[in-house]
Amino acid sequence: MSSSCGSSCGSDQKGGCGSKDAQLAQQEIAITKSLGKIKNKILVMSGKGGVGKSTVAVNLALCLAKKGHKVGLMDVDLHGPDVCRMLNLTGTLTAPENPDDLIPPLTFNDNLKVVSLEYMMKNRDDAIIWRGPLKIQAIRQFVADMDWGELDYLIVDAPPGTGDEPLSVAQTMPGVHAVVVTTPQAVALADVRKSINFCKTVAMPIVGVVENMSGFICPHCGETVDIFSKGGGEQTARDFDLPFLGRVPMDPRVVMAGDSGTPYLSSDEDSPAIKAFDTVVTAIEQRLPPGPVTVNPFAAPGCACGPSGCGSK
């Protein structure tokens, strides 16, 4: 973000507008302004990988957008961003003509905007080899520098675990709520309990628990087989006194749809998995209803050096 003080501060002055403290303060202003236009922030998280968290995040965003809500989808799984591929988005970052303007996200449709590190890379197969500070700064820039506009929902897809990315989201987005995704087996449930305790530690409200891959639907006979057992997610939600949002069975078409970039759980087909996922989305929508955003009043744009003015020590 550029300084609004003009040339009076001098970037070499201690505490001036060119200082790191001033740049951080300006970024905080931009973050607050951006978040002030977003009604609901939802972090989709899991205790371990392989539970279908990104599938839940992408299809949740699509379902809410299909219902007419203004939705943003932010992929903060920086080392393994999959959102663009799952939506078959092939665009790249387009810088605004005016360097002071916000950067436009990718547009999936009229109601869904998408931001992912992958669409900012020249080669999407390049590895992201970053330590914590770079990841934290990237997430802050996803909020501060992107033109999200007014949204009913911002869905954030986080990597598994309780590391830099979910912690950065919790610290950057006051009022963010978590949707915790798990599979029914004991190993996944042991990790999901850590995610729940993480949310308690950082004071992040939990919308509820989703039990994904709860049974396998045979593509030939349509019967359900409990490969990973059943009910573990619901029992965990009960143990922690959390809402249970529903269980979604495995369906081979979910995998094929994710690979082809045409997500299945948010489609118009008729299947047990789609019906179950619609129940989950409706439960989230009821707990975090859309509506008008109360925008916090902001001071007139000016110097971000602090109340003592430029060059203060």
Side-chain angles (χ1 to χ4, degrees):
M1 303 295 290
S2 63
S3 172
S4 57
C5 293
S7 60
S8 61
C9 293
S11 60
D12 58 341
Q13 286 182 291
K14 184 177 180 181
C17 281
S19 70
K20 290 184 178 180
D21 287 345
Q23 293 172 359
L24 184 61
Q26 286 183 321
Q27 189 179 60
E28 286 289 348
I29 292 172
I31 288 172
T32 304
K33 189 171 183 179
S34 178
L35 294 177
K37 299 177 183 178
I38 301 171
K39 176 67 182 296
N40 298 297
K41 284 84 67 178
I42 300 175
L43 176 66
V44 180
M45 64 182 303
S46 64
K48 68 185 300 295
V51 300
K53 169 190 52 57
S54 292
T55 298
V56 170
V58 168
N59 283 277
L60 172 60
L62 284 169
C63 281
L64 291 171
K66 185 188 292 186
K67 292 187 176 187
H69 308 311
K70 295 296 183 182
V71 183
L73 177 58
M74 180 190 298
D75 187 358
V76 301
D77 190 347
L78 302 178
H79 294 289
D82 294 320
V83 163
C84 286
R85 297 171 192 255
M86 295 178 73
L87 292 172
N88 196 27
L89 289 172
T90 58
T92 56
L93 176 67
T94 303
E97 294 182 5
N98 185 343
D100 290 333
D101 289 345
L102 296 174
I103 302 169
L106 289 178
T107 301
F108 181 80
N109 58 33
D110 290 342
N111 288 337
L112 180 57
K113 298 177 180 180
V114 180
V115 164
S116 174
L117 184 65
E118 191 172 42
Y119 92 100
M120 302 178 186
M121 300 168 59
K122 291 183 179 180
N123 184 354
R124 293 190 175 188
D125 291 328
D126 285 344
I128 302 298
I129 308 174
W130 289 356
R131 293 186 185 274
L134 281 176
K135 294 191 283 186
I136 294 168
Q137 181 60 21
I139 292 170
R140 288 173 61 85
Q141 287 183 297
F142 281 1
V143 181
D145 297 348
M146 299 295 167
D147 187 10
W148 291 107
E150 294 190 2
L151 298 177
D152 294 302
Y153 297 93
L154 176 62
I155 310 300
V156 183
D157 181 29
T162 56
D164 289 317
E165 293 89 341
L167 180 59
S168 297
V169 171
Q171 293 175 336
T172 303
M173 301 183 188
V176 65
H177 289 65
V179 168
V180 180
V181 181
T182 186
T183 45
Q185 73 269 38
V187 172
L189 294 171
D191 290 330
V192 84
R193 287 193 285 270
K194 297 173 185 176
S195 293
I196 293 171
N197 285 323
F198 164 85
C199 292
K200 292 183 177 181
T201 300
V202 300
M204 184 190 304
I206 298 176
V207 183
V209 176
V210 177
E211 183 177 300
N212 197 26
M213 305 184 192
S214 182
F216 170 73
I217 300 175
C218 176
H220 304 292
C221 66
E223 293 296 320
T224 301
V225 181
D226 293 329
I227 296 177
F228 295 142
S229 74
K230 185 178 181 181
E234 184 174 8
Q235 183 59 50
T236 300
R238 189 179 299 115
D239 291 343
F240 283 87
D241 195 24
L242 295 173
F244 180 66
L245 300 175
R247 58 174 60 92
V248 182
M250 297 177 67
D251 190 320
R253 288 168 290 188
V254 174
V255 177
M256 292 185 289
D259 288 343
S260 65
T262 54
Y264 176 71
L265 292 176
S266 51
S267 68
D268 294 323
E269 294 190 36
D270 185 11
S271 76
I274 290 176
K275 291 178 180 178
F277 191 74
D278 184 67
T279 300
V280 171
V281 175
T282 299
I284 294 173
E285 190 180 23
Q286 289 174 344
R287 286 170 172 79
L288 296 176
V293 180
T294 302
V295 181
N296 295 328
F298 296 100
C303 180
C305 294
S308 299
C310 301
S312 62
K313 296 183 180 181

